[in-house]
Amino acid sequence: MTESGSTDLSISTREMLDAIFANAHTTNTFSDDAVDPALIAQAYEDVRWAPTAMNSQPMRLTVVHTPAAKQQLGLQMKPGNRDKTLAAPLTIIAAWDPNWHDHLPHLAPHRDGAREKLDPDLAVREKMAKVSSHLQIGYLIVALRAHGLHVGPMTGFNAAGVDEEFHADNGWKTAVMINVGWGPNDDDVNAVRDRAGRLSFDDACQVV
């Protein structure tokens, strides 16, 4: 990775995979270096090409980086997550849009009439949005790491409060918070402790 966050295309596939997975840790406390929201936009440009059901792309992002917005968000975080969220250079509110079907004429023009068919069925739309948005959130974490960033995904917050503060005008539903920065502080616990175990292929998978 280059320090600017752009990917060095000369590195091997193995090196890239290790940087994204094996050598990456969830980060709780970041360096003081600012993260430009434009880099989040770059990561999203990559993520939007990844597959979702019906090409629905229901994930919606709110990039929180101004001091006022961070204080507003901090009030909705559970105590264990509040301080690290306030200290992070940037936080992404990853949400899903229950009205994702409104974009189907553009996203899936081959699905003639799909928007109209789904319009009265909120339960189906919500179920599809939750599944595909979580896929996209996973893609986003990978993309952020590929751009050289460190991430700290969290689910400890008042979702209804976040939606009231940040999504009142669009109806989005908060799913995951992702703190984002350039690297962990030297005293970040996750950066210095031994890596926790992972299940092997034989433990977690079956071939039939």
Side-chain angles (χ1 to χ4, degrees):
M1 307 290 177
T2 63
E3 290 187 2
S4 65
S6 61
T7 303
D8 179 356
L9 296 181
S10 67
I11 69 174
S12 71
T13 300
R14 181 71 267 162
E15 289 173 318
M16 173 60 78
L17 289 170
D18 285 344
I20 293 172
F21 296 113
N23 297 333
H25 296 252
T26 296
T27 303
N28 288 325
T29 58
F30 299 88
S31 70
D32 294 330
D33 298 322
V35 176
D36 189 339
L39 189 56
I40 309 303
Q42 290 180 34
Y44 179 81
E45 284 297 310
D46 299 320
V47 168
R48 70 192 185 111
W49 298 107
T52 54
M54 291 179 65
N55 196 31
S56 54
Q57 299 187 43
M59 181 182 72
R60 303 289 183 264
L61 305 179
T62 301
V63 180
V64 180
H65 76 110
T66 65
K70 288 180 69 65
Q71 289 296 324
Q72 190 178 5
L73 178 60
L75 295 174
Q76 306 303 327
M77 303 303 295
K78 289 187 176 180
N81 290 331
R82 184 171 298 135
D83 288 347
K84 56 188 177 183
T85 299
L86 291 173
L90 179 149
T91 301
I92 299 171
I93 304 173
W96 51 273
D97 184 0
N99 294 314
W100 57 269
H101 67 302
D102 286 338
H103 298 276
L104 282 178
H106 169 61
L107 298 175
H110 58 289
R111 297 270 190 165
D112 188 40
R115 176 177 60 180
E116 291 72 21
K117 181 178 179 180
L118 286 164
D119 194 61
D121 202 336
L122 178 61
V124 169
R125 297 200 322 262
E126 288 187 343
K127 182 178 180 180
M128 293 180 66
K130 289 177 182 178
V131 172
S132 283
S133 66
H134 279 79
L135 280 175
Q136 288 187 285
I137 292 167
Y139 301 146
L140 178 64
I141 290 170
V142 170
L144 293 170
R145 285 178 168 180
H147 281 277
L149 292 160
H150 289 240
V151 298
M154 301 174 297
T155 56
F157 52 84
N158 175 11
V162 175
D163 290 342
E164 183 177 350
E165 292 290 340
F166 293 92
H167 301 149
D169 294 335
N170 52 40
W172 300 349
K173 303 298 182 182
T174 302
V176 177
M177 297 290 173
I178 308 173
N179 286 337
V180 183
W182 282 113
N185 282 337
D186 293 338
D187 60 353
D188 188 277
V189 173
N190 283 353
V192 298
R193 70 184 178 187
D194 292 338
R195 192 68 182 268
R198 298 292 192 273
L199 294 179
S200 69
F201 181 87
D202 289 340
D203 290 329
C205 308
Q206 62 180 357
V207 179
V208 297

